[in-house]
Amino acid sequence: MLKPLPFPFPADHPLCPSSLLGAARRGRAPVHVRLDHGDPAWLVTRYEDARHVLSSPAFGRDRQRAGIPAARVAGLRSVDLPSHSLFSTDPPDHTRLRRFVYRMFTPRRVEGLRDGAHKIANRLVDSMIGEGPPADLVAGFGLALPVEVICDLLGVPLADRPLFSVWADGLLRMDLPAERVITCMEELNAYMAGLAAERADEPADDLISALVRERVEGDRLTGDELISMLRSLLVAGHETTASQISNFVFLLLRGGDYARLTTDPGLIPTAVEELLRYVPLITQGSMTRFVLEEVELGGVRLRPGEQVIVELSAANRDANAFTDPDALDLRREDNPHVAFGHGLHRCVGAALARMELQVALTTLAARLPGLRLAVPPDDVSWHADRLVRHPKALPVTW
């Protein structure tokens, strides 16, 4: 077997998948790679193979079930997810945990949050206009909007937002020592445990109270599962959608497509789906899957105990699934992208993320039709040390 290739592959631009991913996809078979931490893994880049791995019971997320020690997990960091995390369990535990959260994120329930999100977005734009250009779209809008929405939904005091930023940074940075990552996780866990205790004594109309009630009334959630779930929801709601708002606006402004949305706002839902397909978010593809039973994939025989990484951005550029996949087509109708994953571990907050992205672009296009970059595109600096891609700042004017 050939020596594993170092992964992630280098790219010319943070929002452009590496050409090596395209070469791997054309080769059809999974590619043997090695990340900085842990054992080698198989890299999956084809759309059909990606969907198979993400939905087949032959692959799991629970390393303990697969018999893989934490130190062997192929990853970008030396810190593994807790075994009781929603992201790192398999059925039946995963089915039970996901059921609790999904009830809070149904499309109907999320749609009920849209008016509130519009009010937040308009208030943020009011503030940007009041302070005058230039403005940093990351700090002034992209990060603030999803943070306020998730804080409202969970019932977390918005005044504590600076703490969340520190903790989320620690959990998503790839260059921090393991001790610092663990400290951030412990501090966030303690904070969430305190809020959960408060809601047990004085329930409110929020997601924390609802999940606490599930534990108190049925004891179907353990204390560790409750805290892990709250931590995951806060960090995901704090960072991923915020990153994509800034990424999307950068691409739209750089390529001149923003003006199309200002003149045709009805295009925005379709544009959001295309941008989700087109823009790579995670620097590592998807979370590592573990082979649970012998299976053949793309002509390669995978054996129990081996590990697989699905590169979602490569799958979303597969010509066998998408016409002219390297083109950003805001009117693309047939768009079964896997930006939110697929199968059992598909992002439980997908409906919320879609709504927030639509609200963000709708509000900006309506309120700031003359929005443009305040610096040349090449002068925008990007985070190179995080699991999630986004600019450090996005200077804009109007």
Side-chain angles (χ1 to χ4, degrees):
M1 182 180 294
L2 296 176
K3 182 179 179 181
L5 299 175
F7 185 79
F9 298 149
D12 293 336
H13 188 275
L15 298 188
C16 180
S18 171
S19 60
L20 294 178
L21 289 173
R25 187 179 56 242
R26 289 189 294 274
R28 299 182 65 83
V31 176
H32 216 208
V33 298
R34 182 187 291 277
L35 285 79
D36 289 341
H37 301 285
D39 279 9
W42 292 101
L43 179 68
V44 171
T45 54
R46 296 175 66 231
Y47 181 84
E48 180 181 348
D49 292 344
R51 285 172 58 95
H52 179 71
V53 170
L54 296 176
S55 60
S56 170
F59 303 89
R61 280 289 303 128
D62 187 342
R63 65 166 180 81
Q64 294 180 337
R65 179 184 175 207
I68 298 177
R72 279 187 49 204
V73 175
L76 294 176
R77 301 181 308 178
S78 58
V79 180
D80 188 36
L81 287 170
S83 59
H84 46 261
S85 164
L86 179 66
F87 303 131
S88 58
T89 53
D90 294 329
D93 283 340
H94 178 267
T95 306
R96 174 176 56 85
L97 295 174
R98 186 180 178 90
R99 184 172 63 248
F100 295 134
V101 182
Y102 181 75
R103 288 204 300 266
M104 311 300 168
F105 288 96
T106 62
R108 181 176 180 179
R109 183 181 290 267
V110 168
E111 193 59 30
L113 303 173
R114 186 179 292 268
D115 286 347
H118 269 295
K119 291 177 181 177
I120 294 170
N122 276 299
R123 176 166 46 79
L124 294 171
V125 172
D126 286 341
S127 179
M128 289 172 57
I129 293 174
E131 295 179 8
D136 175 13
L137 193 80
V138 174
F141 186 84
L143 179 60
L145 173 60
V147 167
E148 292 202 28
V149 171
I150 197 66
C151 284
D152 285 349
L153 183 62
L154 286 172
V156 173
L158 188 59
D160 291 339
R161 172 181 158 188
L163 293 173
F164 308 150
S165 297
V166 173
W167 292 328
D169 186 69
L171 294 176
L172 295 173
R173 286 269 296 274
M174 296 182 297
D175 60 343
L176 292 180
E179 295 78 12
R180 177 55 187 155
V181 178
I182 292 171
T183 297
C184 287
M185 187 175 298
E186 290 175 343
E187 290 176 353
L188 181 51
N189 287 351
Y191 176 86
M192 284 301 185
L195 284 182
E198 290 178 10
R199 294 303 192 279
D201 293 334
E202 298 182 17
D205 184 21
D206 56 42
L207 184 54
I208 292 179
S209 297
L211 291 174
V212 168
R213 187 163 54 249
E214 294 282 0
R215 170 164 166 71
V216 171
E217 293 181 355
D219 200 26
R220 292 171 292 177
L221 283 174
T222 68
D224 284 345
E225 288 170 344
L226 173 64
I227 300 308
S228 177
M229 193 176 294
L230 293 175
R231 181 187 66 240
S232 299
L233 291 172
L234 181 62
V235 172
H238 180 277
E239 189 76 16
T240 52
T241 307
S243 298
Q244 287 294 55
I245 290 173
S246 300
N247 293 341
F248 288 6
V249 172
F250 171 83
L251 277 182
L252 291 169
L253 294 178
R254 185 187 68 174
D257 287 310
Y258 181 80
R260 297 176 62 191
L261 302 186
T262 66
T263 57
D264 185 7
L267 182 61
I268 288 176
T270 302
V272 164
E273 296 306 312
E274 173 67 350
L275 287 160
L276 283 166
R277 180 196 72 84
Y278 189 83
V279 178
L281 175 63
I282 307 298
T283 55
Q284 183 198 325
S286 67
M287 293 179 180
T288 307
R289 262 66 180 178
F290 309 110
V291 182
L292 302 177
E293 59 187 65
E294 188 166 324
V295 63
E296 183 173 313
L297 188 70
V300 174
R301 179 66 59 178
L302 305 183
R303 293 174 172 78
E306 293 187 306
Q307 302 178 54
V308 176
I309 295 171
V310 177
E311 229 318 333
L312 299 174
S313 64
N316 278 333
R317 299 289 187 99
D318 191 338
N320 290 313
F322 304 96
T323 302
D324 198 7
D326 291 323
L328 179 64
D329 179 4
L330 299 186
R331 295 189 179 277
R332 188 184 299 270
E333 294 289 346
D334 185 17
N335 199 347
H337 63 75
V338 288
F340 292 117
H342 180 67
L344 292 176
H345 286 274
R346 185 176 182 275
C347 176
V348 72
L352 180 65
R354 278 193 171 97
M355 182 273 287
E356 291 176 343
L357 291 166
Q358 291 169 7
V359 166
L361 294 185
T362 298
T363 305
L364 290 173
R367 299 288 308 280
L368 298 172
L371 191 70
R372 59 190 185 277
L373 294 175
V375 297
D378 290 344
D379 287 352
V380 175
S381 60
W382 297 80
H383 284 289
D385 56 359
R386 299 172 70 86
L387 291 171
V388 178
R389 294 179 169 98
H390 66 87
K392 295 178 179 178
L394 189 60
V396 293
T397 187
W398 53 88

